[in-house]
């Protein structure tokens, strides 16, 4: 795009706008500094602050507990990655099953609906107990007893029920005319689903999926109730040994650090989606 | 059996931190010895103000269990607490014939109010809360940690600490048991850590862990009453920082507290308590100390 010729009046306007922008930036900066300063002073000058700093922000304890918490966090990350892949596969399968048309698929649809009802409804921690302690209690040959495998299974069951509903909302949001147009071009049901409906549906639900992913990042730690030592449990152990809450703060900061890239990715995906749809509208 | 309730570290910690934050002052030494100073007190039998003059009335619950008592008969002088009670009585100058037993429910004994006994021996853990309502003697037992396993598991045949190195161990989070695994056993693989002993017991039954570390009184109860086919592999050597101790319960402000504490401390220093513990907990009850 070439820069159009700018009149003197327009240049004045631009200069005025720049001045206004600088002024707002300055005000914002000063206001932020004053607010942060007041907050800092209010916390650090409170009568209990030395004790709180000792109990929650103790650098020595933080350093001592960090290796163990990182070891736990590595377990969280591994479970997270495996679980997320399985969740997307199972969730998409359940969602597609729920949208199958035709009376012959009634039992499958009912099964898929029952699945989402059951596993969205049951509290995750109870499902973890049932699967993590109940399944190995059967003492069947070939059934895994590893708490990590069983815990991941429970996470997948619960989260894929949520994710299936997100996918289904995405599929339903694709206008029926798209499907009709695909079929009129001679595509089969499967082809129209795969080539026309799902690409649009998945793109549309990417932001809520990333939202669920961030929630999962923290919930994978719940497998610690089965005996595995994740970051939060490692912090709990360190905290009990040192009589100090700093390990919790360390684990909390690590989780925040883990969530930030996902949050930025969600923002970026949403912005890109908006650009695409706006662009289509403008053209 | 309602004998005792262990206090996980987080509870203690939360109470400690909460109290400190609220008060805004330093109270670092929460773990101070529970007993009042008991030295230099005249404890002549003739001057003791017991419930019945010339006799010592001791209370415990109905029924009582092994290994603390044997056959629910406190007066047979058997079991860890039966033997301890008579050792204390003897130290205070009473003959076994002068000891009279009464049965008082556990929860009634630790309520404030007049008592029909001189002291009660019933696995009472000494806690700050209970000290508001009753007196405690000097502790006669430091709770140790014990390893339990299913008899079908190889871990049940370990005879020393080295035999537990390769075992998958479990414990409740924030307890002395977990610390004992890390400090005393130092196993090759990381222990499984559970929210509660109930979760850990289920994992033991399922075979997800080979052995479970609990405090010894709980281990006796779990192996005797809760998990069929389980046994105590052994006790872990005392680490020196026992967080839980048993004390005798006396009426609040009882004139006997100092004398009873003095007798308990004398039995501890002359090795009598250690001998009773070895006989009734390690030998008879089958909880050898693993070295």
């Amino acid at each position: 795009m070439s820069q159009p010729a700018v009149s003197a009046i327009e240049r004045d306007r631009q200069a005025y706008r720049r001045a206004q922008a600088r002024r707002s930036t300055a005000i914002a900066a000063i206001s932020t500094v004053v607010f942060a300063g007041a907050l800092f002073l209010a916390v650090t000058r409170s009568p209990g602050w030395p004790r709180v700093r000792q109990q929650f922000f103790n650098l020595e304890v933080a350093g001592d507990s960090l290796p163990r918490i990182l070891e736990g966090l590595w377990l969280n990350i591994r479970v997270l990655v495996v679980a997320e892949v399985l969740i997307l596969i199972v969730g998409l399968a359940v969602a597609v099953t729920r949208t199958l048309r035709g009376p012959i698929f009634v039992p499958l649809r009912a099964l898929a609906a029952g699945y989402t009802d059951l596993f969205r409804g049951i509290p995750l921690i109870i499902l973890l107990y049932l699967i993590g302690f109940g399944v190995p209690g059967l003492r069947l040959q070939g059934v895994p007893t590893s708490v990590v495998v069983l815990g991941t299974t429970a996470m997948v069951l619960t989260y894929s029920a949520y994710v299936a509903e997100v996918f289904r909302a995405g599929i339903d949001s694709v206008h029926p005319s798209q499907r009709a147009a695909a079929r009129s071009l001679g595509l089969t049901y499967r082809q129209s689903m795969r080539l026309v409906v799902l690409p649009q549906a998945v793109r549309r639900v990417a932001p809520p999926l990333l939202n669920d992913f961030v929630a999962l990042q923290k919930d994978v730690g719940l497998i610690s109730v089965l005996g595995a030592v994740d970051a939060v449990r490692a912090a709990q152990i360190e905290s009990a040994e040192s009589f100090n809450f700093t390990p919790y703060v360390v684990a909390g900061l690590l989780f925040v650090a883990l969530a930030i890239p996902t949050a930025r990715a969600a923002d970026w995906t949403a912005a890109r989606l908006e650009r695409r749809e706006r662009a289509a509208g403008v053209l | 059996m309602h004998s005792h309730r262990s206090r996980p570290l987080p509870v203690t910690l939360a109470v400690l931190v909460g109290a400190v934050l609220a008060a805004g002052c330093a109270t670092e030494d929460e773990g101070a010895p529970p007993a009042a100073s008991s030295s230099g007190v005249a404890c002549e039998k003739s001057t003791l103000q017991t419930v019945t003059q010339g006799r010592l009335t001791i209370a415990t619950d109905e029924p009582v269990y092994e290994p603390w008592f044997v056959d629910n008969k406190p007066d047979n002088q058997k079991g860890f607490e039966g033997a301890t009670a008579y050792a204390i009585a003897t130290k205070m100058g009473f003959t076994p014939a002068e000891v009279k037993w009464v049965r008082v429910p556990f929860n009634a004994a630790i309520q404030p109010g007049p008592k029909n006994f001189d002291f009660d021996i019933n696995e009472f853990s000494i806690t700050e809360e209970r000290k508001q309502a009753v007196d405690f003697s000097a502790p006669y037992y430091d709770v140790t940690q014990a390893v339990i396993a299913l008899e079908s598991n190889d871990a049940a045949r370990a005879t020393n600490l080295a035999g537990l190195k390769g075992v998958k161990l479990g414990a409740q989070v924030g307890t002395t048991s977990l610390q004992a695994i890390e400090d005393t056993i130092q196993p090759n693989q990381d222990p499984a850590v559970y929210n509660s002993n109930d979760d850990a017991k289920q994992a033991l039954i399922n075979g997800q862990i080979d052995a479970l570390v609990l405090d010894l009184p709980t281990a006796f109860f779990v192996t005797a009453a809760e998990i069929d086919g389980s046994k105590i592999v052994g006790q872990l050597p005392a680490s020196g920082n026992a967080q839980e101790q048993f004390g005798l319960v006396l009426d609040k402000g009882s004139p006997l507290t100092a004398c009873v504490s003095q007798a308990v401390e004398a039995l501890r220093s002359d090795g009598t308590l250690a001998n009773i513990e070895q006989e009734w907990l390690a030998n008879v009850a089958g909880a050898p100390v693993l070295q």
Side-chain angles (χ1 to χ4, degrees):
Chain A
M1 277 195 285
S2 64
Q3 204 67 33
V6 178
S7 69
I9 293 175
E10 175 61 15
R11 277 198 297 276
D12 282 352
R13 283 195 190 116
Q14 287 178 352
Y16 176 73
R17 285 196 204 104
R18 276 197 297 274
Q20 285 296 93
R22 273 198 299 274
R23 191 164 163 266
S24 335
T25 310
I27 291 174
I30 292 167
S31 143
T32 307
V33 166
V34 168
F35 177 75
L39 194 64
F40 178 78
L41 287 179
V43 171
T44 57
R45 303 194 61 173
S46 62
W49 170 245
R51 174 59 61 174
V52 168
R53 189 177 57 193
Q54 168 67 25
Q55 281 296 329
F56 290 83
F57 304 100
N58 187 326
L59 283 180
E60 196 183 329
V61 174
D64 289 347
S65 61
L66 188 61
R68 192 163 184 169
I69 294 175
L70 281 178
E71 205 179 307
L73 192 69
W74 177 230
L75 176 74
N76 289 63
I77 293 173
R78 280 178 295 165
V79 173
L80 174 68
V81 170
V82 173
E84 181 64 19
V85 170
L86 293 173
I87 286 165
L88 290 177
I89 295 170
V90 176
L92 187 59
V94 172
V96 170
T97 310
R98 276 200 81 170
T99 54
L100 285 177
R101 306 282 199 272
I104 195 164
F105 294 119
V106 163
L108 276 183
R109 278 209 301 273
L111 209 61
Y115 177 89
T116 48
D117 284 356
L118 177 63
F119 288 110
R120 272 199 311 174
I122 192 167
L124 177 55
I125 195 120
I126 291 176
L127 187 67
L128 274 167
Y129 271 109
L130 292 179
I131 299 218
F133 289 126
V135 171
L138 299 172
R139 292 184 166 266
L140 289 172
Q141 281 293 318
V143 170
T145 55
S146 154
V147 294
V148 175
V149 174
L150 293 166
T152 307
T153 307
M155 306 297 309
V156 170
L157 286 173
T158 295
Y159 265 82
S160 49
Y162 284 105
V163 166
E165 287 302 281
V166 172
F167 275 131
R168 189 166 73 102
I171 292 170
D172 287 348
S173 77
V174 176
H175 199 273
S177 64
Q178 294 278 328
R179 204 184 298 253
R183 297 304 293 273
S184 72
L185 287 173
L187 299 183
T188 64
Y189 177 83
R190 284 175 59 114
Q191 284 172 321
S192 59
M193 199 71 187
R194 186 165 61 86
L195 300 171
V196 177
V197 177
L198 282 182
Q200 300 184 66
V202 169
R203 208 178 295 136
R204 230 169 258 181
V205 297
L209 283 181
L210 280 164
N211 203 24
D212 281 344
F213 183 70
V214 176
L216 180 68
Q217 276 182 358
K218 289 163 291 175
D219 276 358
V220 287
L222 285 174
I223 65 167
S224 65
V225 300
L226 304 179
V229 178
D230 82 311
V232 176
R233 181 48 61 86
Q236 194 180 3
I237 294 169
E238 289 290 329
S239 174
E241 284 177 3
S242 59
F243 293 99
N244 194 298
F245 283 120
T246 308
Y248 287 126
V249 176
V250 172
L253 291 177
L254 288 172
F255 273 102
V256 172
L258 202 62
I260 286 174
T262 320
R264 290 293 78 76
D267 290 350
W268 181 79
T269 321
R272 195 181 62 152
L273 186 71
E274 202 174 303
R275 272 201 308 277
R276 281 178 78 110
E277 298 199 336
R278 290 278 161 79
V282 168
L283 283 172
Chain B
M1 183 157 136
H2 48 228
S3 57
H4 91 133
R5 178 172 298 170
S6 64
R7 283 188 302 162
L9 288 178
V11 176
T12 322
L13 178 67
V15 168
L16 177 62
V17 170
V20 164
L21 286 177
C25 62
T27 50
E28 300 290 345
D29 50 355
E30 285 277 307
S37 170
S38 54
S39 54
V41 182
C43 292
E44 288 299 314
K45 178 189 168 190
S46 54
T47 65
L48 291 177
Q49 298 170 34
T50 54
V51 172
T52 310
Q53 193 65 32
R55 303 191 70 172
L56 186 65
T57 310
I58 310 178
T60 193
D61 206 343
E62 171 80 62
V64 284
Y65 298 90
E66 294 183 38
W68 312 108
F69 292 93
V70 174
D71 299 332
N72 192 23
K73 286 181 186 148
D75 55 3
N76 63 11
Q77 307 188 29
K78 290 179 178 174
F80 175 74
E81 290 193 327
T84 302
Y86 278 93
I88 294 168
T90 308
K91 205 57 150 183
M92 293 172 74
F94 294 92
T95 64
E98 287 169 331
V99 171
K100 178 176 166 238
W101 286 90
V102 290
R103 299 302 190 118
V104 177
F106 183 91
N107 288 317
I110 48 175
Q111 300 305 317
K115 303 283 186 262
N116 62 347
F117 53 80
D118 293 316
F119 66 76
D120 191 325
I121 182 164
N122 195 10
E123 301 119 69
F124 291 103
S125 297
I126 301 171
T127 67
E128 289 301 318
E129 295 78 22
R130 289 174 181 171
K131 274 200 238 172
Q132 307 296 317
V134 292
D135 273 5
F136 280 103
S137 72
Y140 60 90
Y141 176 66
D142 293 346
V143 173
T144 60
Q145 300 300 313
V147 183
I148 70 169
L150 297 183
E151 276 158 9
S152 55
N153 193 297
D154 285 342
R157 284 174 284 285
T159 53
N160 52 32
L161 291 177
L164 292 169
K165 286 254 187 227
V167 161
K168 180 73 178 175
L169 293 159
Q172 182 183 337
V173 66
T175 55
T176 320
S177 312
L178 183 58
Q179 277 180 325
I181 292 178
E182 292 174 350
D183 298 343
T184 309
I185 304 178
Q186 299 175 345
N188 299 329
Q189 45 183 329
D190 288 336
V193 185
Y194 298 93
N195 277 353
S196 70
N197 273 335
D198 293 326
D199 294 355
K201 284 182 282 189
Q202 187 60 47
L204 184 75
I205 294 169
N206 287 347
Q208 292 166 297
I209 53 175
D210 298 315
L212 171 60
V213 178
L214 304 159
D215 61 63
L216 184 64
T218 309
F220 281 127
F221 182 63
V222 169
T223 52
E226 290 194 328
I227 305 181
D228 288 339
S230 65
K231 63 169 281 198
I232 294 176
V233 181
Q235 301 178 57
L236 298 177
S239 57
N241 54 352
Q243 58 160 347
E244 192 180 1
Q245 295 175 312
F246 290 171
L248 306 167
V249 163
L250 298 94
D251 194 7
K252 185 79 181 161
S254 164
L256 290 176
T257 305
C259 290
V260 171
S261 286
Q262 194 173 312
V264 170
E265 279 166 5
L267 292 171
R268 182 181 287 276
S269 55
D270 71 12
T272 310
L273 284 179
N275 288 340
I276 295 174
E277 191 178 326
Q278 177 67 29
E279 180 181 2
W280 292 104
L281 299 185
N283 298 351
V284 176
V289 178
L290 303 171
Q291 296 294 342

